[in-house]
Amino acid sequence: MTVLPITHIGDPVLRTPTRPITREELADPATQQFIDHLIETMRHAAGAGIAANQVSRSIRVCAIEVTSNRRYPYKPPIPLTVLVNPTLEYLGDETYENNEGCLSVPDLRGNLRRHVRVRATAWDRHGNEIVSEVAGLTAGTYQHEVDHLDGMIYVDRVDDPRTFSTWAQFDRHHRDQFVERITRFVDEVGS
Ligand code: NI
C-alpha cells in the first residue's frame, strides 16, 4: 500500500485548475499506478473522495468511494468511482444545505449549498466514457471533488463563516441536528 502525502489549504497546487490528461497518458502504467495510490490514500485517510491535486499532482483525476465511512457515517454508500477529465452539469436549480469537511482543510467543517442533482461526464480509469447522474449527498461529493480539480475548495462556497466548526465542536453542538435533517433529505432524494 502506498499512502501519498495530502497537501493542505495554502498550497498553490490546490488553487490551480488541473490539466486534462490524454488517453495515452491514462493508459501509461505510471498513471495507472498513481490511480491505485490515490485510491489507497483516500481509503487510508477515510476520505469520501480525493482529487489528484490534493496529493500534489495537477491532473484532472479524482476518486470517490463511500462504504461505512468513519468521517461521514450518515453518507449513503458510493461504489468506488474514478473520474478522469470529468465535467459536471447541474440538473435543475434545486439546492440543499450541506455540511462538509475536506482532507486538505484539517479539522474544520462548514455549511454550504450544493446542487441536488448533477450529471458527470468522464472517462473511467480505462478510458471508457461514463455518464452518471447522481443526487443528494452523493451529488455533493461529486461537486466537492470536481471543485478541487477546478482549483476550488469547499470553504470558497461557505456563505456564512459563522458555520465553521472543528470536528469536535461539530460533534458536540451541531451533529445531531444536521444528521436528523440530512437523513430526512437522503430519504427524500434516495441518496
Ligand atoms: Ni476535499
Side-chain angles (χ1 to χ4, degrees):
M1 187 174 85
T2 301
V3 175
L4 303 168
I6 295 175
T7 194
H8 290 158
I9 187 168
D11 187 328
V13 75
L14 294 171
R15 293 307 193 177
T16 307
T18 53
R19 156 183 83 72
I21 61 172
T22 63
R23 277 208 163 81
E24 291 67 35
E25 197 176 355
L26 177 59
D28 189 311
T31 307
Q32 289 296 315
Q33 188 181 53
F34 168 74
I35 292 172
D36 288 337
H37 294 166
L38 189 65
I39 293 166
E40 287 161 15
T41 303
M42 169 180 70
R43 288 176 173 164
H44 180 261
I50 194 168
N53 50 340
Q54 290 184 272
V55 293
S56 305
R57 188 90 181 258
S58 195
I59 58 175
R60 202 164 172 82
V61 175
C62 65
I64 293 170
E65 183 183 47
V66 177
T67 48
S68 53
N69 188 292
R70 70 167 184 268
R71 278 164 61 88
Y72 305 101
Y74 50 83
K75 280 196 184 204
I78 309 175
L80 176 63
T81 307
V82 173
L83 300 174
V84 178
N85 301 338
T87 55
L88 273 194
E89 200 183 326
Y90 300 140
L91 304 175
D93 298 329
E94 208 187 343
T95 63
Y96 70 100
E97 188 173 49
N98 201 5
N99 176 280
E100 296 183 12
C102 178
L103 296 173
S104 292
V105 187
D107 204 14
L108 199 69
R109 305 179 60 129
N111 287 1
L112 63 153
R113 300 206 71 84
R114 291 294 189 191
H115 284 260
V116 174
R117 289 168 208 285
V118 300
R119 179 189 295 133
T121 306
W123 298 337
D124 67 14
R125 66 179 296 171
H126 309 294
N128 302 310
E129 309 234 355
I130 49 176
V131 178
S132 76
E133 291 187 5
V134 288
L137 285 177
T138 301
T141 303
Y142 272 59
Q143 288 164 83
H144 181 114
E145 297 314 324
V146 174
D147 272 355
H148 274 304
L149 298 176
D150 290 335
M152 284 189 73
I153 303 175
Y154 85 89
V155 295
D156 306 351
R157 296 192 185 273
V158 170
D159 300 314
D160 182 354
R162 291 173 299 182
T163 67
F164 280 124
S165 72
T166 65
W167 284 64
Q169 294 299 333
F170 180 79
D171 283 351
R172 196 163 154 195
H173 299 289
H174 309 289
R175 174 181 286 279
D176 289 349
Q177 207 184 6
F178 173 69
V179 169
E180 196 185 301
R181 175 171 66 78
I182 214 70
T183 302
R184 271 200 310 273
F185 170 71
V186 166
D187 288 346
E188 272 168 39
V189 190
S191 58

